[in-house]
Amino acid sequence: NNDLVLVNQQLSRNENDKVLIMHNWLPKIKKLLNFDGNWYLVSLNPDHEKIKVNPNDNSNIIGVVKKVIRDL
């Protein structure tokens, strides 16, 4: 949707950071949170359900999102 996303390429992150992650070969911007020993990708949009990250998933953190610039 023509947004510009600035990402600091890094593997480490803090609990509430938004990350750019490649999950099953699709880029996503989500929070990566642990609930009861399971990892979930949590959308910034509360209308979307969280996605459980399974051990067989192909997931790689690209970096931490620093800024999103929306196209007006």
Side-chain angles (χ1 to χ4, degrees), residues 35-47:
F35 298 108
D36 299 324
N38 295 304
W39 288 98
Y40 292 89
L41 298 175
V42 179
S43 178
L44 307 176
N45 182 339
D47 294 334

Side-chain angles (χ1 to χ4, degrees), residues 19-23 26-28 30 32 41 59-62:
V19 295
L20 173 61
I21 187 167
M22 290 295 289
H23 181 250
L26 294 173
K28 300 177 183 201
K30 306 278 186 189
L32 181 62
L41 298 175
S59 298
N60 295 304
I61 295 173
I62 305 300

